């Protein structure tokens, strides 16, 4: 049986010291190579035997949009004003929770300008990580086209490659034209993407990317879409969300079928991978690079941020798609309910009965029924 140390490199999932010790020391690199260990599989069975995937494929063909022409790129974005408006709209006086006592912390001496700067950096960081994650999705779905043995899944995955290229394109353009700086990939996110790409079992690419990374992205995009007062970002996210919902549905539909064939040892390996992915993604949301940039002690800052009630809600909401989808796949309770215990430890089990994305994607479609004006 694998221990926490084997799976995530530390015994205590909340060991802050160990989490913060993982940093990106390669910030000036312009490329990063990962060895993919999986076989490319041809299938000679062209029969369309998976109608649910076929339906998703048809939907994807009709829901394409053009990143350059379908979004109002001429919208003026004053980032500092947006940061202030967003904070006001959320009812907070500061960017961080106003109820927090910052006495004796690195934030004690911060002026309003420091808080606004922090808000801008935080946004630069968040959108940069979305950008890198989208590139991860682009590479993973190209890999799925090669490795999945079913023709209906190859067809669908090909449409997702196009979707992900468009997502990389919109986030790169938004960062370049509307925000004030880029961040390199967060080390926890990179570790996870490397593990997903390097695994030689085709379904692990699905579990890591389609269920875990995309499930988290879908929740995060939804949250920011709701909160942001900036109309261009709002619309951009709305479009991206309708694509992402299909992507997660693709994962759920495919793995539901495939997991029927697996024995309990193989299912346990999937549970462990889901736990690893969940932990890495939670770790990355501590935004350690932003505090570094702001020149405050990272550990003290992270500790304080972790106490903010708003923050805790946001962090856990990120798992609101992942947990029900894992439940639908049978991963939560398989064996002795090992993953249920891990998700309880991570504080996210409360989402288990929320709607799963196998059904939700049609409701989230923004393009199919309402083409861009
Ligand atoms: Fe995407
Ligand atoms: Fe996606």
């Amino acid at each position: 049986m694998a221990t926490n140390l084997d799976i995530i490199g530390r015994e205590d999932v909340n060991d802050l010291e160990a989490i913060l010790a993982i940093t990106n020391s390669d910030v000036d690199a312009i490329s990063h190579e990962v060895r993919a260990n999986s076989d490319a599989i041809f299938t000679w069975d062209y029969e369309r035997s998976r109608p649910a995937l076929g339906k998703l494929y048809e939907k994807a063909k009709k829901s394409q949009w053009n990143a350059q022409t379908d979004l109002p790129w001429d919208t003026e974005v004053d980032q500092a004003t947006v940061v202030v408006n967003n904070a006001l709209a959320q009812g907070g006086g500061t960017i961080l929770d106003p109820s927090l006592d910052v006495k004796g912390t690195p934030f004690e001496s911060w002026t309003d300008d420091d808080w606004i700067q922090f808000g801008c950096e935080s946004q630069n960081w968040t959108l940069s990580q979305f950008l890198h994650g989208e590139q991860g999705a682009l590479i993973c779905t190209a890999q799925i086209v090669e490795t999945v043995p079913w023709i209906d899944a190859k067809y669908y995955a090909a449409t997702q490659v196009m979707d992900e290229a468009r997502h990389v394109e919109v986030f790169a353009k938004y960062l370049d034209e509307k925000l004030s700086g880029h961040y390199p990939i967060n080390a926890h996110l990179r570790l996870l993407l490397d593990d997903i790409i390097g695994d030689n079992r085709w379904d692990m690419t699905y579990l890591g990317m389609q269920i875990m990374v995309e499930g988290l992205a879908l929740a995060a995009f939804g949250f920011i879409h709701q909160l942001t007062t900036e109309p261009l970002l709002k619309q951009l996210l709305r479009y991206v969300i309708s694509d992402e919902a299909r992507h997660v549905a693709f994962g759920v539909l495919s793995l539901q079928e495939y997991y029927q064939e697996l024995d309990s040892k193989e299912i346990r390996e999937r549970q462990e991978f889901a736990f690893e992915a969940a932990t890495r993604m939670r770790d990355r949301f501590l935004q350690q690079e932003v505090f570094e940039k702001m020149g405050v002690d990272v550990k003290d800052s992270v500790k304080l941020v972790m106490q903010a009630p708003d923050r805790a809600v946001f962090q856990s909401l990120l798992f609101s798609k992942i947990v029900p989808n894992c439940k639908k796949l049978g991963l939560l309770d398989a064996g002795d309910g090992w993953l249920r215990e891990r998700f309880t430890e991570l504080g996210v089990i409360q989402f288990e009965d929320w709607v799963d994305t196998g059904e939700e994607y049609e409701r989230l479609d923004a393009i199919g029924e309402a083409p861009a004006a």
Side-chain angles (χ1 to χ4, degrees):
M1 287 279 162
T3 63
N4 276 4
L5 190 63
D6 301 325
I7 302 169
I8 55 170
R10 60 181 191 265
E11 277 307 343
D12 175 7
V13 72
N14 295 316
D15 181 346
L16 196 54
E17 206 85 50
I19 296 171
L20 297 180
I22 298 175
T23 56
N24 185 351
S25 55
D26 212 7
V27 293
D28 297 319
I30 53 159
S31 67
H32 170 61
E33 293 92 38
V34 189
R35 177 157 300 276
N37 296 300
S38 42
D39 292 332
I41 298 183
F42 282 85
T43 174
W44 309 128
D45 177 5
Y46 293 100
E47 199 183 318
R48 306 294 302 276
S49 54
R50 294 180 171 81
L53 293 182
K55 186 176 158 203
L56 208 54
Y57 178 50
E58 291 306 313
K59 185 100 187 157
K61 287 193 265 184
K62 279 190 279 187
S63 300
Q64 296 293 312
W65 46 280
N66 186 330
Q68 298 295 330
T69 56
D70 288 338
L71 288 169
W73 289 107
D74 55 358
T75 306
E76 291 279 345
V77 179
D78 181 83
Q79 198 184 5
T81 308
V82 171
V83 164
V84 172
N85 287 346
N86 286 354
L88 290 174
Q90 288 160 51
T94 62
I95 313 306
L96 206 64
D97 191 297
S99 66
L100 269 191
D101 184 7
V102 295
K103 252 213 185 94
T105 75
F107 305 109
E108 191 175 9
S109 60
W110 276 18
T111 62
D112 285 353
D113 282 351
D114 290 325
W115 282 111
I116 292 171
Q117 180 63 29
F118 172 70
C120 292
E121 289 300 336
S122 177
Q123 205 190 17
N124 293 341
W125 181 89
T126 303
L127 276 278
S128 294
Q129 301 315 319
F130 287 164
L131 170 69
H132 303 311
E134 292 292 355
Q135 190 186 166
L138 175 65
I139 287 175
C140 284
T141 43
Q143 196 177 8
I144 288 176
V145 172
E146 294 187 335
T147 58
V148 68
W150 310 330
I151 196 68
D152 286 301
K154 286 184 190 291
Y155 288 162
Y156 178 76
T159 69
Q160 191 179 331
V161 174
M162 181 60 225
D163 293 349
E164 304 300 2
R166 187 169 54 237
H167 298 173
V168 176
E169 184 188 356
V170 284
F171 283 116
K173 188 171 164 75
Y174 192 85
L175 272 154
D176 279 343
E177 295 181 6
K178 308 298 179 187
L179 301 187
S180 53
H182 282 241
Y183 278 79
I185 188 166
N186 169 275
H188 301 283
L189 176 61
R190 192 174 68 185
L191 266 179
L192 174 58
L193 294 177
D194 287 1
D195 275 358
I196 296 172
I197 292 163
D199 202 293
N200 64 357
R201 296 159 291 187
W202 66 264
D203 68 294
M204 290 299 207
T205 324
Y206 266 96
L207 177 59
M209 180 48 66
Q210 307 293 125
I211 302 296
M212 304 302 293
V213 176
E214 304 236 52
L216 181 131
L218 185 58
F221 295 162
F223 198 73
I224 296 172
H225 169 261
Q226 248 181 10
L227 292 184
T228 188
T229 55
E230 200 285 277
L232 169 60
L233 184 63
K234 215 180 188 55
Q235 195 170 341
L236 181 161
L237 289 172
R238 187 66 193 83
Y239 278 19
V240 173
I241 286 168
S242 64
D243 293 343
E244 297 301 355
R246 278 197 308 279
H247 303 170
V248 182
F250 176 49
V252 173
L253 292 170
S254 305
L255 293 184
Q256 244 183 332
E257 176 182 338
Y258 184 65
Y259 284 178
Q260 309 291 328
E261 297 171 19
L262 300 184
D263 64 28
S264 58
K265 181 172 166 283
E266 290 165 326
I267 288 290
R268 174 59 178 263
E269 288 163 3
R270 273 75 188 165
Q271 291 178 306
E272 288 171 0
F273 196 51
F275 170 58
E276 181 202 334
T279 307
R280 301 259 182 255
M281 289 191 295
R282 193 199 60 159
D283 294 350
R284 96 170 168 81
F285 266 92
L286 295 176
Q287 302 199 1
Q288 58 202 77
E289 300 86 351
V290 174
F291 296 114
E292 235 171 75
K293 179 115 181 216
M294 292 297 294
V296 290
D297 183 88
V298 176
K299 197 172 163 194
D300 288 351
S301 307
V302 166
K303 264 194 200 150
L304 186 78
V305 169
M306 282 167 103
Q307 290 163 17
D310 283 3
R311 187 79 205 166
V313 172
F314 172 67
Q315 299 259 106
S316 66
L317 270 175
L318 293 172
F319 291 85
S320 60
K321 309 284 178 192
I322 288 175
V323 181
N325 287 330
C326 282
K327 185 170 188 176
K328 182 152 190 171
L329 292 174
L331 290 180
L332 219 48
D333 290 307
D336 48 2
W338 184 87
L339 190 59
R340 168 180 295 281
E341 269 173 48
R342 299 288 89 74
F343 279 171
T344 305
E345 247 179 304
L346 285 173
V348 297
I349 195 66
Q350 65 271 26
F351 299 112
E352 63 170 307
D353 293 319
W354 284 37
V355 63
D356 69 76
T357 317
E359 275 124 44
E360 198 185 20
Y361 74 92
E362 294 195 84
R363 189 177 65 68
L364 288 172
D365 183 35
I367 315 296
E369 85 275 4

